[in-house]
Amino acid sequence: MSVERTLAIIKPDAVTAGAAGKILSRIEQAGFKVVALKMIQMSFDDAAGFYAVHRERPFFKSLCTFMTQGPCIPMVLEADDAIQRWRDLMGATDPVKAAAGTIRKDFATSIEANAVHGSDAAATAAFEIGYFFSSLELCGR
Ligand code: ATP
Ligand code: MG
């Protein structure tokens, strides 16, 4: 196991619902170090660039519109095995399938409005961290 960084986002549905503080608290309680964090509102093109791997999927346009509907909170989390551990804490994409105690089980309202994002591999994390943060914005470097 090695120290890793992953890109997390508290998505607009969770920010609008006032759940950002509760989600951040779970992140801290799980032992992640928050090394960068900001609140932004993405344009459609910002979201489309971020989710470019999904551009051929039927839900792509709807997903990009959803991600622009309000502010979101991207952050960089650091921990041993951070990528998998953050995905475990998030739970399954579809909240109906998410395990008890996961963030999506407790805060997601649909397969699209599912409260949080997490990188799915080391290469993805590197791209996604660089998409939102410069090296100067990463604390503990
Ligand atoms: P994320 O990448 O946001 O962490 P994920 O890796 O669990 O989520 P992906 O398959 O990468 O899931 O899908 C990216 C996002 O697209 C999902 O989090 C969700 O918001 C949306 N999405 C996925 N599948 C669907 C679907 N069938 N219908 C609508 N939206 C979907
Ligand atoms: Mg994904």
Side-chain angles (χ1 to χ4, degrees), residues 87-111:
R87 289 187 69 84
D88 291 346
L89 186 59
M90 288 198 300
T93 309
D94 183 349
V96 171
K97 297 178 184 158
T102 61
I103 290 171
R104 281 168 167 167
K105 182 71 175 179
D106 294 341
F107 298 104
T109 52
S110 72
I111 193 170

Side-chain angles (χ1 to χ4, degrees), residues 51 53-54 87 93 104 117-120 124 128:
Y51 277 124
V53 292
H54 293 314
R87 289 187 69 84
T93 309
R104 281 168 167 167
H117 163 84
S119 308
D120 59 13
T124 323
E128 292 181 351

Side-chain angles (χ1 to χ4, degrees), residues 11-13 15-16 40-42 65-72:
K11 292 183 179 182
D13 58 321
V15 174
T16 302
I40 58 166
Q41 183 149 4
M42 287 199 274
T65 301
F66 157 65
M67 290 298 288
T68 68
Q69 74 182 20
C72 68

Side-chain angles (χ1 to χ4, degrees), residues 5-6 8 10 16 19 21-22 32 35 48 51 54 66 71 73 76 79 88-89 93 99 122 125 138:
R5 287 178 175 180
T6 191
I10 304 177
T16 302
K22 294 186 200 99
F32 292 96
V35 300
Y51 277 124
H54 293 314
F66 157 65
I73 303 176
V76 180
D88 291 346
L89 186 59
T93 309
L138 302 175

Side-chain angles (χ1 to χ4, degrees), residues 11-83:
K11 292 183 179 182
D13 58 321
V15 174
T16 302
K22 294 186 200 99
I23 292 172
L24 193 52
S25 175
R26 289 198 188 190
I27 288 168
E28 291 179 331
Q29 278 172 8
F32 292 96
K33 181 177 168 192
V34 180
V35 300
L37 178 151
K38 60 185 161 192
M39 181 181 280
I40 58 166
Q41 183 149 4
M42 287 199 274
S43 68
F44 187 92
D45 286 350
D46 292 336
F50 178 68
Y51 277 124
V53 292
H54 293 314
R55 62 185 171 275
E56 305 302 335
R57 309 279 285 274
F59 56 80
F60 177 71
K61 209 169 158 189
S62 175
L63 171 62
C64 293
T65 301
F66 157 65
M67 290 298 288
T68 68
Q69 74 182 20
C72 68
I73 303 176
M75 63 185 95
V76 180
L77 307 181
E78 185 177 273
D80 285 339
D81 203 19
I83 295 168

